[in-house]
Every structure is written in C-alpha cells, then in structure tokens.
C-alpha cells in the first residue's frame, strides 16, 4: 500500500471519489497510485513535461500492479490530455505562474474538467485573482506544514465567487474562515 507524505495526502484528500484523474507534473505518480490503489478513482493519467519522472512513475505503477489503471504521458501541462478524458486535474508543487499558464493554455480543455485541485508554491494572491476572474469557485482549502515549509492547496469547481477581499486573496477565504491552525502558525 502506497504511503503519501503529509503534503501529498492533503492534496489526495481533496479529490472527489469516482472521478477520472489527470495529475499534471506527476513526478513519481504517488498520488495517482494512492488514489487508484484505494479505489478512490477508477483511472488516472500521470503527466509530466520531463521523461525522467515519467520513467520513475512507470516503474512505481508497475510495482503496484496498476498499469491497467494508470497511464503515463509526456505532456507540457494539459497539452496531451484529450477533451473529456479526465474529470479532476491536480497541479501540485509548482509555482503559481506555471499553474496559471497551465489553466490558461487551453481554456476549453480546462473548462471540460469538473474540478481542479491546485497547490501553488508561490504567488497565491495572483492565482486566486486569476481563478476569481475566470469564474472558478474555491470549495475547499487546506494548508499543511512539512519539513518547515508551508503548503496551501485548494479545490475548485466552475461557478461564480463572491469577490475576494485583499486579505482573502493572500490567505484564502476558507483558511481564514476555518481558522486553519497551520495558517495561523
């Protein structure tokens, strides 16, 4: 059984069970392996822009006997994802500018996804502003601390959002509302 780090577990916990997954920047494919192995997603596409991580991902997928449920794909963002091929997209562990670039590259494809799970490592206010302007509604947020670093993450669906205050853009509406202990640290 695959064990996830605290950061990756928090990302995986935001995925709605039963959705087909596209993990952008998958690295070792730990999240797709965990979610398929535990029956939380029926299938996954593990995508990365670099061959090395995909080779490691392929090895891990085979070790867990999940080659029938998880495919790897060399892809710059969502470029090599087909329309309607996934319901949920994860983009974790990359800068906010890159997250926005991935979402903006093919707006129709991004719109075809039912939910987005994002964990931008920087420029959080810029990401939240982009989401607000492009009619994505944050329905859940979490934040964890691991090895002295803080990792905020969010789950989005399509829909209107009440405008964010400056404080909410920087710190997250849900994190503030729920008085997230990691945020307040």
């Amino acid at each position: 059984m695959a064990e996830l780090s605290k950061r990756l577990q928090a990302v995986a916990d935001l995925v709605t069970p039963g959705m087909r997954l596209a993990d952008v920047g998958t690295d070792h494919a730990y999240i797709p392996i965990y979610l398929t192995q535990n029956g939380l997603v029926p299938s996954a596409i593990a995508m990365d822009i670099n061959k090395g991580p995909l080779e490691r991902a392929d090895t891990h997928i085979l070790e867990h006997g999940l080659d029938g449920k998880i495919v790897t794909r060399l892809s710059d963002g969502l470029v090599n994802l087909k329309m309607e091929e996934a319901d949920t997209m994860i983009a974790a562990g990359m800068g906010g500018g890159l997250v926005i670039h991935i979402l903006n590259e093919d707006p129709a494809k991004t719109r075809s996804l039912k939910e987005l799970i994002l964990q931008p490592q920087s420029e959080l206010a810029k990401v939240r502003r982009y989401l607000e302007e492009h009619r994505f509604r944050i329905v859940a947020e979490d934040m964890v601390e691991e090895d002295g670093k803080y990792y905020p993450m969010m789950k989005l669906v399509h829909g209107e959002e009440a405008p964010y205050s400056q404080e909410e853009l920087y710190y997250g509406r849900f994190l503030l509302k729920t008085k997230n202990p990691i945020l307040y640290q």
Side-chain angles (χ1 to χ4, degrees):
M1 195 64 84
E3 282 271 320
L4 294 177
S5 67
K6 193 192 307 184
R7 171 180 83 86
L8 295 182
Q9 185 65 58
V11 171
D13 289 345
L14 290 174
V15 174
T16 302
M19 299 279 206
R20 296 167 304 152
L21 179 69
D23 185 21
V24 176
T26 196
D27 199 18
H28 293 78
Y30 291 144
I31 292 175
I33 288 168
Y34 171 83
L35 291 170
T36 52
Q37 195 172 45
N38 288 292
L40 297 168
V41 299
S43 63
I45 302 161
M47 303 191 302
D48 208 285
I49 193 169
N50 296 307
K51 279 191 173 120
L54 283 182
E55 288 166 3
R56 288 192 300 274
D58 279 326
T59 301
H60 289 125
I61 292 162
L62 285 170
E63 284 170 359
H64 288 89
L66 294 168
D67 44 311
K69 292 188 174 202
I70 305 171
V71 296
T72 57
R73 197 172 291 165
L74 195 62
S75 183
D76 181 357
L78 294 170
V79 169
N80 291 325
L81 180 74
K82 296 177 191 86
M83 286 293 272
E84 309 291 328
E85 197 176 21
D87 306 304
T88 300
M89 179 199 85
I90 293 175
M94 56 189 78
L98 182 54
V99 169
I100 291 169
H101 169 76
I102 290 167
L103 298 178
N104 222 10
E105 207 162 31
D106 188 341
K109 198 178 288 180
T110 302
R111 286 257 157 238
S112 77
L113 297 159
K114 292 183 174 96
E115 68 181 16
L116 309 172
I117 314 293
L118 308 179
Q119 187 195 61
Q121 305 288 72
S122 62
E123 303 179 279
L124 285 159
K126 189 175 169 185
V127 171
R128 287 189 185 101
R129 168 77 66 221
Y130 172 88
L131 297 170
E132 180 182 45
E133 288 169 357
H134 290 83
R135 294 192 174 95
F136 288 103
R137 191 162 52 88
I138 298 173
V139 293
E141 280 183 293
D142 196 5
M143 182 183 254
V144 298
E145 180 271 327
E146 187 175 83
D147 300 325
K149 289 189 179 137
Y150 295 93
Y151 298 97
M153 60 209 71
M154 57 195 80
K155 176 179 184 167
L156 314 147
V157 296
H158 304 287
E160 292 291 327
E161 181 81 278
Y164 283 99
S165 69
Q166 204 60 23
E167 188 178 53
E168 289 171 334
L169 278 174
Y170 283 95
Y171 300 110
R173 183 173 286 162
F174 281 88
L175 296 175
L176 290 166
K177 202 182 289 182
T178 60
K179 297 190 179 355
N180 181 284
I182 305 299
L183 174 67
Y184 281 86
Q185 235 177 55

